[in-house]
Amino acid sequence: MREPAAYSAHEQLVADARARPELWRLLFGLFIVGVLYVTLNSVLFALIGGLIPPDQAQGFLRGTSALATLVLLMSFGFLTLGVAVAARQMQHRSLRAILGPRNQFRQQFVFVALALTVLGVVMALLPPYGMGEPLTQNLTLSTWVLLLPLSATAVLIQTSAEEVLFRGYIQQCLAARFRSPVIWMGVPSVLFAAGHYAPGVTGDNALLVTIWAFVFGLLAADLTARSGTLGPAIALHFLNNTVALLFISLPDTLSGLALYLLPYEMTETGMLRQWLFVDFAVMIVCWMTARLALRR
């Protein structure tokens, strides 16, 4: 199966990777990414562990305070660093090459982000109003606004790191070796979904969350292939996580920066599961909106 004509822009991301398309380079590169990410995070949290009381360590790792959530989100920067080192060492590629042409990347990111922001405002103004039960105020509005620039930066670091790894490094390396989108879109999406499989956190919702992540991965891969940069995929991921982490969050994990908290946890199978299905529909609408923004 050959690449569809709609994905011709993807070639500008893949062209320089074709010089070294061997799969062993990708696999060893991922080993480098994993070692750097785990090592640097281990050092970071060892230092943090020496500064906080033992009885607060578990709560810190769950990100239930503003400081903890900031640290956890910013630690994803080690993932981007790992990809940059792996790409340079294994394929002589730069992080800029993985992101795409600078001006095009910036322009596409801004257009998609603005389009999704407008969509979000419109959807917020439409019924239904509320999510079944009253929300809980997590931060005062003044504190939330004060933290917002730092919070948004932390979310951008986290989301861009995941896109750089999955829709960037892995997708491009596979596309340099295989022509079929089934492989270079499907494999990174499966890996992305596997990383979201956490039955210990999400309980009986684990499979549904994993399927959601797989579909999201495919849609982000599609935007990347159509646009020729990671700008649209990062914008989509950033806006999605901004809403989920900074506006209305689940109380279980990474909730410290949210303005409001939902009245149920990730393991809840009643109302939360209904909203997860709604979130599937919203994700599709956001993807379609991003595609329209790219046609400007």
Side-chain angles (χ1 to χ4, degrees), residues 135-152:
L135 300 175
T136 302
Q137 182 108 23
N138 185 50
L139 296 175
T140 63
L141 182 60
S142 58
T143 300
W144 183 80
V145 171
L146 186 64
L147 287 172
L148 189 57
L150 194 56
S151 302

Side-chain angles (χ1 to χ4, degrees), residues 90-104:
M90 301 310 301
Q91 296 163 319
H92 300 174
R93 301 183 70 212
S94 67
L95 184 61
R96 172 53 55 193
I98 291 173
L99 292 172
R102 185 191 304 272
N103 291 337
Q104 188 179 356

Side-chain angles (χ1 to χ4, degrees), residues 49-100:
L51 299 175
I52 61 176
D55 60 329
Q56 297 180 20
Q58 190 61 36
F60 190 93
L61 292 175
R62 288 170 50 219
T64 52
S65 70
L67 177 60
T69 304
L70 283 172
V71 171
L72 290 169
L73 292 176
M74 289 186 173
S75 70
F76 277 80
F78 296 142
L79 197 62
T80 302
L81 175 62
V83 170
V85 172
R88 176 63 65 185
Q89 293 301 314
M90 301 310 301
Q91 296 163 319
H92 300 174
R93 301 183 70 212
S94 67
L95 184 61
R96 172 53 55 193
I98 291 173
L99 292 172

